[in-house]
Amino acid sequence: GAARGGGARACDCGGPRVAGVASMAAPLRIFVLELFVMLGIAVSLYTIHIESQLGRIPGYQPACDLGSWSSCSKVFTSPWAHILRHWGLVEQGSMFDLSLPQLAIPYFLLLMLYPVARRQSRHAPAAFLAVGVASIAFNVYLACILKFVLKEFCVICASTYLVNGVCFTCLVLDNLALYRQASLKKA
């Protein structure tokens, strides 16, 4: 059996099964999504802290400034750090003149709602996937600005891209699983 590696599945614990427990448990991809959503919020809050310190303390050197090859402070004080203002959509100092991490927090909070939304509406997974595609496209845009315009590397930015990539991957995997599940029900 399982102790000898005889091919038993991971959920086969050898003990009695409680009816319905396996179907109530969220898939691993949902747990990973929620973990990375919380990580995204934490990185965003840290970035807001750095932006605040850069604005208040002259000569502040954040820990994410790793040397001449990596300066998050240059990135966080660039025009692209307040993207809505940079695009001319809002005035400087308006309540909508938000920095990138201030915009990221509502996005991650929205993703936090995904496990509930996917159970409430059959259209929710596709809607969240569309938001995820837009978010990945925006990350590619920002990465291009970082590399080709600012010519910087930002470890915080790269961390955010990674977090968002993992969240998107979880959404894709969940959409595929739900699609397969729906296809099997039709058959």
Side-chain angles (χ1 to χ4, degrees):
R4 294 183 179 173
R9 293 171 53 185
C11 64
D12 185 7
C13 302
R17 290 182 180 227
V18 177
V21 169
S23 65
M24 289 177 21
L28 178 62
R29 62 190 172 270
I30 301 300
F31 287 120
V32 171
L33 172 67
E34 294 302 299
L35 176 69
F36 275 81
V37 161
M38 289 185 280
L39 186 59
I41 291 170
V43 170
S44 297
L45 290 172
Y46 177 66
T47 306
I48 290 168
H49 168 73
I50 292 170
E51 290 175 335
S52 171
Q53 297 296 85
L54 286 168
R56 290 182 339 169
I57 303 170
Y60 175 72
Q61 190 79 23
C64 56
D65 279 358
L66 302 177
S68 60
W69 62 278
S70 176
S71 173
C72 64
S73 60
K74 287 181 185 173
V75 175
F76 298 160
T77 56
S78 76
W80 286 270
H82 285 253
I83 198 74
L84 299 177
R85 178 188 347 144
H86 180 71
W87 287 342
L89 299 175
V90 300
E91 295 291 322
Q92 182 172 353
S94 79
M95 72 183 259
F96 296 110
D97 184 17
L98 302 171
S99 66
L100 289 170
Q102 290 171 322
L103 293 169
I105 289 175
Y107 166 72
F108 286 120
L109 290 174
L110 176 68
L111 287 183
M112 191 176 279
L113 298 175
Y114 180 73
V116 173
R118 74 190 278 273
R119 290 180 178 267
Q120 299 297 319
S121 169
R122 65 184 179 94
H123 301 294
F128 275 80
L129 186 62
V131 170
V133 167
S135 178
I136 291 295
F138 186 61
N139 277 182
V140 169
Y141 167 77
L142 291 175
C144 289
I145 296 297
L146 193 63
K147 173 72 175 161
F148 302 114
V149 177
L150 297 175
K151 296 182 170 68
E152 286 291 339
F153 176 78
C154 167
V155 69
I156 299 293
C157 304
S159 299
T160 303
Y161 304 154
L162 176 68
V163 165
N164 198 39
V166 170
C167 290
F168 179 70
T169 300
C170 291
L171 291 172
V172 168
L173 291 174
D174 196 55
N175 269 270
L176 289 172
L178 292 172
Y179 177 78
R180 277 190 226 112
Q181 192 177 43
S183 295
L184 289 174
K185 285 182 181 177
K186 287 180 183 177

